[in-house]
Amino acid sequence: MAKQPEGAQLKEETSSPTINDPDASRDLALQVAEAALDKKASRIEIIDVRGKVDYTDYVVVMSGRSDRQVAAIARGIEETLKRDHGQRCAGVEGLPQGNWVLLDFGDVVVHIFHQDTRGYYDLEALWLDADRVEFEGAQVEEGFVFP
């Protein structure tokens, strides 16, 4: 093992993508939904998959009306959680295309779909028997056009 130079300190992460606390995981999922609402995401569902899958505790699914909005929602969630809650995203997939973006926060996995793509994959059907987490906030209807 290499010796560390004198005076050097190892930099420790203040937050980890994996929380391992059920209440903290639920809070993180709610924070994701709140950040998504700020970017006008529609049909947001928080699905409790604890005990059903081993890779995450919550899956958050939502839609955007265009590829640009899908990308903006993804960037907004990532920036808000890092800035306001100290949570870093462990991985992002699909951002350049904007049809389906996946954000991996460890105990919370976020799927942001273009509204035309969401029905094709129908992820919610995989967990029909899973509990849904209720949250406050005005959901934007998928067909709504902003003035």
Side-chain angles (χ1 to χ4, degrees):
M1 184 173 206
K3 187 174 179 182
Q4 192 175 11
E6 282 189 43
Q9 295 180 4
L10 292 176
K11 186 176 180 182
E12 291 185 24
E13 287 285 330
T14 56
S15 66
S16 167
T18 302
I19 300 167
N20 295 325
D21 175 1
D23 292 332
S25 297
R26 185 176 188 280
D27 290 344
L28 179 58
L30 290 167
Q31 292 162 1
V32 165
E34 183 180 327
L37 284 173
D38 288 344
K39 295 295 181 181
K40 310 294 188 227
S42 62
R43 294 180 49 215
I44 302 170
E45 283 194 56
I46 301 173
I47 306 168
D48 183 347
V49 294
R50 290 175 296 166
K52 298 183 184 321
V53 298
D54 60 357
Y55 59 87
T56 195
D57 289 342
Y58 292 90
V59 173
V60 184
V61 182
M62 64 195 69
S63 299
R65 293 181 329 278
S66 68
D67 55 348
R68 284 186 176 192
Q69 187 189 20
V70 168
I73 293 167
R75 284 191 301 271
I77 291 170
E78 199 172 4
E79 290 168 5
T80 299
L81 266 63
K82 183 177 180 182
R83 180 188 65 237
D84 298 348
H85 306 287
Q87 294 293 327
R88 300 183 75 112
C89 187
V92 179
E93 295 291 332
L95 195 54
Q97 295 81 19
N99 284 319
W100 177 7
V101 177
L102 182 140
L103 302 174
D104 183 357
F105 287 97
D107 290 340
V108 177
V109 173
V110 183
H111 296 274
I112 309 161
F113 287 99
H114 186 287
Q115 65 186 11
D116 297 336
T117 306
R118 184 172 178 172
Y120 178 79
Y121 290 101
D122 196 19
L123 286 186
E124 299 93 327
L126 293 174
W127 300 291
L128 285 175
D129 61 335
D131 291 333
R132 282 3 188 213
V133 176
E134 296 293 323
F135 64 96
E136 291 184 22
Q139 293 247 21
V140 176
E141 292 301 320
E142 204 160 83
F144 181 76
V145 178
F146 292 95

